[in-house]
Amino acid sequence: MTRPGDPSRGLAARVIVWLRAAFGGAQADREHQEEIRFHLDMAAARLEGQGVPSPEARRRAAIALGGAAQLREAAADARGGRWLADLGRDARYAVRQLRHARGFTAVSVLTLALGIGANTALFSVIDGVLLRPIPFRAPDRLAVLWETDRTSGTTREPASWPDYVDFSRETRTFGTLAAVTGLESSYTPPSGEPQRLSTMAVTHTFFPLVGVNAMRGRTFTPEEDVPGGAQVVLLGERFWRARFNADPSVIGQTIRLDEVPRQVVGIVPAGSDFGLDQLHARADYHGPYSGVGDVAVWLPLQGSEREYPRDTHPFFVIGRLTDATTRALASDEMVGIADRLEREYRSNTARGVHVESLRDVVFAPVRPVLYLLLGAVALVLLVACVNVANLFLARGAARMREVAVRSALGASFARLGRQFVVEALLLSVAGGAAGVALAWLGLRTLLVFAPAELPRVDEIGINTSVLLATLGVSLLVGLVFGLVPTMQALRVDVNETLKGETRGGSPGIRRRRLREWLVVSELALSVTLVLCAGLLVRSVSLVLHVDPGFKAAGVLKAEFTLPQGRYPRDYRRYPVWPATQAFTTTLLQRVSSLPGVQSAALAAAHPLDAGFTNSFVVVGRESEARDWPEISVRQVSPGYFPTMETRLRRGRLLQDGDDAASPLVVVINDAAVARYFGDRDPLGQEIRFWGMSRRIVGVIGDEHFRGPASPAPPAVYAALAQAPPTSGALLVRSSREPEDLSSEIRRVIGSLDPQLAVYGIEPLSTTLLDSLGTRRFATFVLGAFAVLTLLLALVGIHGVLSYATSQRTREIGIRMALGATRREAAGSVVRGGVFLALLGTMIGLAGAAGASRFVSGLLFGVTRSDPVTYLAVAALVLLAAVTATAVPALRAARVLPTEALRLE
């Protein structure tokens, strides 16, 4: 209840008045007209009683009361909220004006929708990736401890378990350390097909370290995080909601992962896996984890030196800096610890430590690309705005007589300006609304091309902050556009305009020059974008023409992980693993017999999976191995080389007879020969890794495991039967369609092991394209923006020339009456367009010379000043510009002198 004098009561009353003024103005006007009519009738009746005739009495009464318009305005002032009522009338008038100018309205809204929509879509990506808070406590204090290898020059290697233990025990600059590693596991539901899950194994310190608490239940305890500890599991929130319908009673229940019963002890919130995909992506090598997004299940790491000795490096180490230290001090401390370990352990020779902020690990690869694209999309919006500004200039010139008439009738400059601003705001808000719809469609396309390095992809969307940003941009654009006709109105000479004497005068020439310069500027901006996109397109084309060392076309890939429960791994009998070898042998036999299959092979990692590396020695040259980088170890079946069409340089390939009972043999690649053997003949020599010596029987060509843009590393290929893997990639060369073959492969694997999850089924050519990652994403998005800006610029040229031609109708008619040909009339229009195009192209090419430095990090095999790209872009833009002049030129050629002169 409010009391007299209560400020809230006064505010409420004012709000009611404003709302009534805005939405009840018509009713209020009717009521006021009835009141005026009543007073007028009463005053006229009094005059008639004094003997004044009726018509004269009503005239005198009306004069005494004042004009109806003034009375209505006085009443509106008395009621309050007049400004809102005026605004409503302006809006209604603006809607009528825009409805009459349908072509202008449609083009303006569509142009703004393209510019605002592109900005909204990309801002959604930047908001979801960079601007959204990291879901960890004090994330700036988190750092990644990479191991380095001076012999190979790598700076981002995972750590060994013993190194992690030593780091944890000796550090003083880090309050806590945690070890993590990615896994692949199969979930076997009570009913239905097995499901492959992204899995993280973490030490019990991980969740307290990053500041994540379980939504329900608890996280791991120290007692569970030891060899032989309890078989427990945490569920990720999204997996819990999707598979268990967010049922809280799942805690305490048992689920089967890789045929091992595990008790669910807690649910961790979505986002707890922030940055883990990027850790694997940035690493110089990692284990069998593909990084597919949200982690479904979490396991205790339960590490030990016996299972993970010091010469194996599968773990990523994350630490939290203490409050009193900096990353530089922590780096110095860790370097000192690494130096001690290098002196103490032979397997740590040439190894060091590199401390990097977790934020940089996650965002550094994508931040420059996203900011580059943000700058590009800002240019798209700028070009769209310039285009609409040209439309407003043309429309403003056509409305000068209307402005003059309204000014002569008493309309103030402020009232005219408000009217124009309201019209522009309506257009920009409509363009913004249409832009959001386009952004929703464009965002779906953007995410299809999103690289694996892009974090938090599943969180990208058009949310409240994105909509508010879009609204802000729309309002700002509307206010700016409203100033264009307002400034034109400020310069209107009422007398001259009403007499019709401004045609052809200097104001018209100034406006035409301004519109031409606007077109030149938007064309220059579009040329800059097109050239940067052209450099990226040329780079991707060159990358795709790099020989990756294998033929991906026609090969289908399918991956799986063999659970230890059904495929025991007794390292005391290695490489004799009967269950694993029986499965792989039977699988290859059955797949090879499928119709249309030309060849099939199995590998521990497919040709575009970096896999893992291992230290090794050449027998007889052990002392030299201290300075050697680790070698990439590839476990493949003999059919791998013909299936991938890998070239044999010398010696022989692996054969079916190279089994567990035969002498151990390997094949190496050209890079390994160049790095480790030089002029020596490697055939017949032995290398030792995993505690076994293996004889080199052949040399093959290099394969680019990290994609064609990366150099091929030294690699050794061991026979699958002599080095059985725990996971595999089936590679099938076939003439059949991938969709048909995938279902057949699933059926074959299901017949061998119905509980085995199969994943990653896709053509290897798709995997090859995906390996381009950020480069392909930037090329696609920047190319789309470049095409859009060029189209907008061409529309601008077309619009300027069309308007100029319509303004020159009289001039062209007189020239043709004096003997000019239609070709000469059309040529004058084309020459004007070509001049604008040449000027804009030259300015754009000059600007691109500087702007291209922002894409230099994504270029491959091409320089920033590549003449082929410059010439191609210039020719393309000029050809497109000449095409845009065709319609105005034809219109000029069709001018009839008699009709043109009759207009005067």
Side-chain angles (χ1 to χ4, degrees):
M1 179 176 181
T2 58
R3 297 184 300 274
D6 190 341
S8 63
R9 183 177 183 179
L11 178 61
R14 285 196 297 271
V15 170
I16 292 173
V17 168
W18 291 339
L19 291 175
R20 189 178 179 193
F23 302 106
Q27 176 66 25
D29 286 343
R30 284 194 296 270
E31 293 174 357
H32 185 62
Q33 288 173 4
E34 293 175 1
E35 185 179 353
I36 292 175
R37 192 179 299 111
F38 171 77
H39 288 292
L40 183 62
D41 290 343
M42 294 294 293
R46 283 195 299 272
L47 290 173
E48 288 176 7
Q50 297 172 7
V52 179
S54 178
E56 180 66 17
R58 293 194 68 82
R59 188 182 71 82
R60 292 183 184 181
I63 293 173
L65 288 174
Q70 289 86 346
L71 286 172
R72 281 197 299 272
E73 291 183 359
D77 287 336
R79 290 195 306 266
R82 175 183 170 185
W83 63 274
L84 200 55
D86 289 344
L87 194 61
R89 282 192 289 271
D90 287 340
R92 291 191 291 274
Y93 179 74
V95 170
R96 290 196 298 270
Q97 288 279 49
L98 295 177
R99 187 187 301 129
H100 291 317
R102 289 187 176 88
F104 164 79
T105 302
V107 173
S108 298
V109 169
L110 179 59
T111 303
L112 287 174
L114 291 172
I116 294 175
N119 275 266
T120 301
L122 192 61
F123 181 74
S124 299
V125 176
I126 292 176
D127 175 67
V129 174
L130 298 180
L131 303 183
R132 193 163 300 175
I134 294 174
F136 291 160
R137 173 174 54 86
D140 290 336
R141 306 299 295 169
L142 296 176
V144 179
L145 279 66
W146 299 103
E147 291 205 359
T148 64
D149 188 341
R150 293 191 299 275
T151 56
S152 61
T154 54
T155 58
R156 292 189 178 91
E157 291 192 9
S160 68
W161 177 260
D163 286 349
Y164 162 70
V165 172
D166 289 333
F167 294 159
S168 301
R169 183 175 57 249
E170 299 184 29
T171 182
R172 297 294 179 269
T173 57
F174 287 97
T176 312
L177 296 181
V180 303
T181 189
L183 304 171
E184 307 289 353
S185 61
S186 295
Y187 165 63
T188 307
S191 61
E193 295 185 356
Q195 181 181 354
R196 174 260 190 160
L197 300 180
S198 293
T199 307
M200 278 290 160
V202 299
T203 56
H204 68 278
T205 55
F206 174 77
F207 291 105
L209 170 73
V210 298
V212 171
N213 297 316
M215 297 172 55
R216 295 182 180 273
R218 59 173 176 81
T219 56
F220 300 130
T221 65
E223 293 75 21
E224 293 165 344
D225 188 25
V226 294
Q231 299 294 338
V232 294
V233 63
L234 295 172
L235 304 184
E237 179 184 2
R238 293 193 178 96
F239 178 66
W240 173 57
R241 295 186 183 280
R243 173 59 68 173
F244 299 98
N245 297 318
D247 183 3
S249 67
V250 72
I251 296 177
Q253 295 182 17
T254 298
I255 65 172
R256 299 182 69 84
L257 293 176
D258 294 334
E259 290 305 296
V260 177
R262 291 182 177 272
Q263 184 184 28
V264 179
V265 297
I267 312 295
V268 293
S272 301
D273 58 347
F274 171 82
L276 297 182
D277 281 356
Q278 284 66 45
L279 273 176
H280 286 79
R282 297 294 302 279
D284 294 305
Y285 61 84
H286 57 80
Y289 176 77
S290 57
V292 293
D294 194 55
V295 171
V297 293
W298 302 76
L299 305 177
L301 200 150
Q302 299 179 344
S304 70
E305 187 169 0
R306 179 180 179 183
E307 186 173 359
Y308 303 106
R310 198 175 287 272
D311 58 356
T312 62
H313 298 79
F315 301 113
F316 301 99
V317 180
I318 302 174
R320 177 174 292 280
L321 296 168
T322 61
D323 294 337
T325 193
T326 64
R327 189 151 52 90
L329 291 175
S331 181
D332 291 340
E333 180 196 50
M334 297 311 300
V335 167
I337 296 174
D339 288 342
R340 184 191 65 77
L341 296 177
E342 182 178 2
R343 292 191 301 270
E344 190 170 342
Y345 301 103
R346 186 177 184 278
S347 57
N348 280 55
T349 299
R351 287 200 167 270
V353 175
H354 164 53
V355 179
E356 186 175 12
S357 164
L358 177 64
R359 189 185 291 274
D360 288 343
V361 171
V362 176
F363 295 124
V366 298
R367 188 186 290 120
V369 174
L370 291 181
Y371 285 150
L372 164 70
L373 297 179
L374 181 62
V377 80
L379 292 184
V380 174
L381 180 60
L382 183 59
V383 170
C385 290
V386 169
N387 236 355
V388 177
N390 253 324
L391 292 173
F392 268 83
L393 284 172
R395 179 170 166 78
R399 296 179 66 182
M400 287 301 97
R401 187 172 182 82
E402 172 198 340
V403 171
V405 170
R406 294 182 64 184
S407 298
L409 293 176
S412 65
F413 173 73
R415 183 63 182 267
L416 292 172
R418 188 179 66 200
Q419 178 66 53
F420 292 137
V421 168
V422 168
E423 287 185 21
L425 284 173
L426 285 176
L427 276 177
S428 62
V429 170
V436 170
L438 291 177
W440 184 81
L441 295 174
L443 190 58
R444 296 168 68 92
T445 305
L446 274 180
L447 296 182
V448 169
F449 290 88
E453 296 87 351
L454 197 65
R456 302 195 279 192
V457 173
D458 52 356
E459 298 181 27
I460 295 173
I462 299 177
N463 53 29
T464 304
S465 60
V466 173
L467 291 176
L468 288 176
T470 302
L471 177 62
V473 170
S474 301
L475 293 177
L476 178 62
V477 167
L479 289 173
V480 172
F481 285 157
L483 294 177
V484 174
T486 302
M487 299 308 295
Q488 286 179 296
L490 184 63
R491 297 185 177 135
V492 170
D493 187 321
V494 176
N495 293 328
E496 296 296 327
T497 301
L498 292 178
K499 289 190 294 184
E501 296 177 2
T502 59
R503 179 172 29 230
S506 60
I509 294 176
R510 285 198 299 269
R511 285 194 294 270
R512 188 183 70 191
R513 291 285 181 259
L514 175 60
R515 296 190 65 208
E516 288 175 349
W517 275 110
L518 287 175
V519 166
V520 168
S521 65
E522 65 177 320
L523 189 60
L525 292 174
S526 67
V527 167
T528 299
L529 272 186
V530 170
L531 192 133
C532 291
L535 290 173
L536 288 181
V537 169
R538 188 158 156 73
S539 294
V540 171
S541 175
L542 291 174
V543 168
L544 291 176
H545 282 85
V546 171
D547 181 9
F550 55 86
K551 187 176 180 182
V555 175
L556 186 71
K557 168 182 69 72
E559 299 175 77
F560 56 86
T561 300
L562 300 176
Q564 187 169 0
R566 297 195 302 277
Y567 301 90
R569 297 189 281 271
D570 185 353
Y571 286 92
R572 293 172 299 181
R573 300 183 59 199
Y574 187 85
V576 181
W577 287 353
T580 299
Q581 289 157 340
F583 174 83
T584 56
T585 301
T586 307
L587 176 61
L588 283 176
Q589 289 173 350
R590 295 191 182 182
V591 171
S592 298
S593 63
L594 292 175
V597 171
Q598 300 161 0
S599 62
L602 276 171
H606 61 77
L608 289 160
D609 187 334
F612 62 92
T613 63
N614 209 87
S615 56
F616 77 105
V617 297
V618 175
V619 176
R621 299 168 56 197
E622 287 80 1
S623 61
E624 300 176 47
R626 295 180 65 88
D627 299 324
W628 287 350
E630 293 184 344
I631 195 167
S632 179
V633 178
R634 322 291 291 185
Q635 300 147 271
V636 300
S637 69
Y640 176 87
F641 304 107
T643 299
M644 301 314 305
E645 299 187 8
T646 308
R647 293 178 296 275
L648 175 66
R649 301 297 193 193
R650 49 185 145 160
R652 71 169 177 88
L653 298 174
L654 300 177
Q655 301 171 351
D656 291 335
D658 297 326
D659 55 25
S662 304
L664 303 181
V665 295
V666 293
V667 169
I668 63 175
N669 66 353
D670 286 336
V673 174
R675 179 65 181 85
Y676 306 117
F677 293 94
D679 296 332
R680 299 182 178 94
D681 184 5
L683 296 182
Q685 298 197 45
E686 292 186 351
I687 64 175
R688 183 185 300 117
F689 59 92
W690 297 348
M692 299 178 181
S693 295
R694 304 166 189 266
R695 185 165 55 90
I696 300 173
V697 297
V699 177
I700 63 168
D702 291 333
E703 291 183 310
H704 296 255
F705 306 132
R706 288 185 173 272
S710 301
V716 56
Y717 296 78
L720 204 69
Q722 297 180 345
T726 59
S727 61
L730 177 65
L731 302 163
V732 184
R733 181 170 295 281
S734 169
S735 57
R736 297 174 59 181
E737 289 296 322
E739 293 79 10
D740 295 338
L741 187 58
S742 354
S743 60
E744 289 282 342
I745 289 175
R746 286 186 182 275
R747 181 184 60 78
V748 169
I749 295 178
S751 67
L752 292 175
D753 187 344
Q755 297 179 342
L756 189 66
V758 183
Y759 56 92
I761 298 185
E762 66 179 10
L764 194 61
S765 55
T766 301
T767 312
L768 180 62
L769 277 177
D770 291 342
S771 70
L772 300 180
T774 303
R775 182 179 282 110
R776 187 170 73 115
F777 176 70
T779 302
F780 168 76
V781 178
L782 192 62
F785 291 163
V787 170
L788 182 58
T789 56
L790 182 58
L791 289 176
L792 291 174
L794 296 179
V795 169
I797 288 180
H798 171 80
V800 165
L801 294 179
S802 294
Y803 180 76
T805 302
S806 66
Q807 296 297 300
R808 292 176 57 199
T809 300
R810 177 173 177 269
E811 172 202 337
I812 292 173
I814 293 175
R815 291 179 60 191
M816 294 182 70
L818 294 177
T821 65
R822 296 182 183 276
R823 176 177 297 180
E824 290 172 338
S828 66
V829 175
V830 172
R831 283 193 297 274
V834 170
F835 173 76
L836 296 179
L838 280 172
L839 187 57
T841 301
M842 288 188 294
I843 296 174
L845 292 178
S852 60
R853 72 177 185 273
F854 296 110
V855 300
S856 58
L858 298 171
L859 300 182
F860 176 87
V862 62
T863 64
R864 287 171 45 198
S865 57
D866 179 54
V868 174
T869 306
Y870 274 73
L871 290 174
V873 168
L876 171 68
V877 172
L878 289 175
L879 178 62
V882 171
T883 303
T885 66
V887 174
L890 289 175
R891 184 180 300 167
R894 291 171 181 167
V895 171
L896 296 176
T898 54
E899 295 295 331
L901 296 176
R902 188 177 294 121
L903 294 175
E904 297 299 314

